[in-house]
Amino acid sequence: MVTLKDIADAAGVTTATVSRALNDGPGVKPATRDKIMAIARQLNYFSGSPAKRVSGTKPNSIGIIWSYAYGLFFNHVCLELQRQAALRGYYSLVSFAPPDEALLHMNEHGIDKVFFWCGPGWKPSLEFLQEKQRFHGEMLVVGGGSIEGAHRLSIDRVGAIKKAIHHLAELGHKRIAFVGASSEKLVGYTLGLLENRLEYDPEFFVQPLNGSMPEQQIAKLLVHNDKPQRPTAVIVDSHGYLFPFLQTIRKLKLSVPEHFSLVAYELIPELEKLLEVPITAVGPRYERLAERSLDLLLSGAGGQPEGHWQDLMLETELIVRESTASPQE
């Protein structure tokens, strides 16, 4: 079957340009459009998805756009989305391409229900906005970003870290360190300390650089601390940072919770097996995230009128395990 890429290669343009030309979209010069149309006719190309060409109906499917597909959390959410969608009679098409290319593919396959994971601060490109203009259906943005004309399901990451701080404070911890990026989770850490009347120490914030764990800073914080008191608990803001952090504390011959209590952000099953003791974790349940996402995409946003875009926040949970205990002063 002839694809957009075949036509793009023959015309010496991008697939996005081909898509706009074939669908009478903006931003294509007349000469370029004529050239693309001629090549499409020569190659016997017919636009639209196979399902549309055969039956004239839309496929019973959802699209999943996850351009930054890495990590265990992605794996669990993506598989759960596909599992729950299948139970509702839908099959899933997953794209790991850049968002504009992924949405172009969704448009070409006639998919009109799209789950799009994009982090906070993501800005759509011109190509994405053009494809979004062509898209006529339900789109759900998850993960922190937002797009006009789409539903949004955000995650209460600030509240999650505040829950972790509150749990540690109830156990008697007064010196809590944070390992992670300067993000909304760090905001939750700062607010959590304030709400529990705990002192903020800038040296208790450890920020990995380019994904690598600053081992000397961890050693200084937890072992060679010149201060009379070291942190008695540590919060790590993702399992991506947790893996190198655990490698570092093993090198330092530190044990959890004997030397310090540990809480990790991310509710994934693997956190029960990474240490000799299961790790206390906080975050959204991936099963609930998949369920809530499909509810928004497949049930007309809860019966809301057309054009009414939902902006909801997914709650987080704290699962207490053996990695947290009262401090051993």
Side-chain angles (χ1 to χ4, degrees):
M1 184 177 66
V2 177
T3 66
L4 290 182
K5 187 176 186 306
D6 296 327
I7 300 173
D9 290 343
V13 297
T14 65
T15 54
T17 299
V18 172
S19 176
R20 292 196 296 274
L22 295 178
N23 290 277
D24 200 26
V28 182
K29 296 179 179 178
T32 303
R33 189 188 305 275
D34 291 343
K35 179 180 179 181
I36 290 171
M37 295 299 291
I39 293 173
R41 285 191 293 269
Q42 183 180 0
L43 295 177
N44 196 29
Y45 174 85
F46 298 94
S47 64
S49 71
K52 281 184 175 181
R53 288 199 295 270
V54 174
S55 65
T57 61
K58 294 181 180 179
N60 205 34
S61 59
I62 65 167
I64 301 172
I65 298 176
W66 205 313
S67 301
Y68 307 99
Y70 61 90
L72 296 172
F73 180 73
F74 151 76
N75 181 64
H76 288 295
V77 174
C78 196
L79 290 176
E80 188 65 18
L81 277 169
Q82 294 179 76
R83 186 188 73 81
Q84 291 194 28
L87 292 175
R88 303 187 191 204
Y90 286 77
Y91 77 85
S92 305
L93 176 67
V94 184
S95 177
F96 307 135
D100 57 317
E101 293 183 24
L103 189 55
L104 182 151
H105 297 152
M106 301 298 171
N107 280 329
E108 289 303 311
H109 283 79
I111 293 175
D112 62 355
K113 300 182 188 304
V114 171
F115 171 103
F116 176 29
W117 181 279
C118 67
W122 178 81
K123 301 295 183 184
S125 65
L126 176 60
E127 290 77 13
F128 182 89
L129 292 175
Q130 290 171 334
E131 287 302 320
K132 179 64 173 63
Q133 191 173 24
R134 285 182 54 208
F135 178 77
H136 299 288
E138 302 279 342
M139 177 179 288
L140 172 66
V141 179
V142 185
S146 63
I147 300 172
E148 185 177 354
H151 305 298
R152 180 171 183 255
L153 183 62
S154 57
I155 298 170
D156 187 13
R157 297 183 178 95
V158 171
I161 302 302
K162 287 167 64 176
K163 288 179 181 179
I165 294 284
H166 183 69
H167 167 63
L168 292 169
E170 283 190 325
L171 291 174
H173 292 276
K174 297 181 180 179
R175 302 181 302 280
I176 303 171
F178 180 84
V179 177
S182 179
S183 65
E184 55 192 326
K185 295 174 191 173
L186 180 61
V187 174
Y189 168 71
T190 306
L191 292 176
L193 293 178
L194 291 172
E195 291 177 6
N196 289 276
R197 299 182 179 180
L198 302 177
E199 183 179 353
Y200 175 82
D201 187 334
E203 293 189 12
F204 283 8
F205 169 46
V206 178
Q207 184 173 13
L209 301 175
N210 299 320
S212 62
M213 192 60 55
E215 295 186 7
Q216 292 183 347
Q217 189 177 355
I218 296 292
K220 180 180 178 182
L221 182 69
L222 297 176
V223 180
H224 308 299
N225 198 333
D226 295 331
K227 294 186 176 182
Q229 296 177 318
R230 303 187 185 100
T232 59
V234 177
I235 298 173
V236 182
D237 87 351
S238 71
H239 76 273
Y241 290 141
L242 180 64
F243 291 158
F245 177 77
L246 293 181
Q247 290 179 333
T248 300
I249 66 170
R250 287 190 178 106
K251 290 180 183 179
L252 297 172
K253 302 187 184 305
L254 298 174
S255 299
V256 173
E258 288 76 17
H259 293 102
F260 62 90
S261 287
L262 177 63
V263 180
Y265 181 91
E266 225 105 77
L267 295 186
I268 53 176
E270 289 78 5
L271 294 192
E272 298 186 63
K273 306 172 184 178
L274 291 176
L275 281 179
E276 291 73 13
V277 296
I279 299 174
T280 295
V282 67
R285 287 189 178 273
Y286 62 86
E287 303 95 335
R288 178 58 177 156
L289 191 154
E291 178 186 20
R292 195 71 189 93
S293 297
L294 292 173
D295 285 345
L296 284 167
L297 278 176
L298 304 182
S299 62
Q304 296 294 329
E306 184 177 356
H308 182 89
W309 307 109
Q310 294 281 354
D311 189 350
L312 305 177
M313 180 172 286
L314 187 67
E315 68 279 2
T316 58
E317 299 180 37
L318 174 75
I319 298 180
V320 178
R321 301 190 180 109
E322 297 171 34
S323 69
T324 51
S326 298
Q328 300 180 14
E329 299 290 354

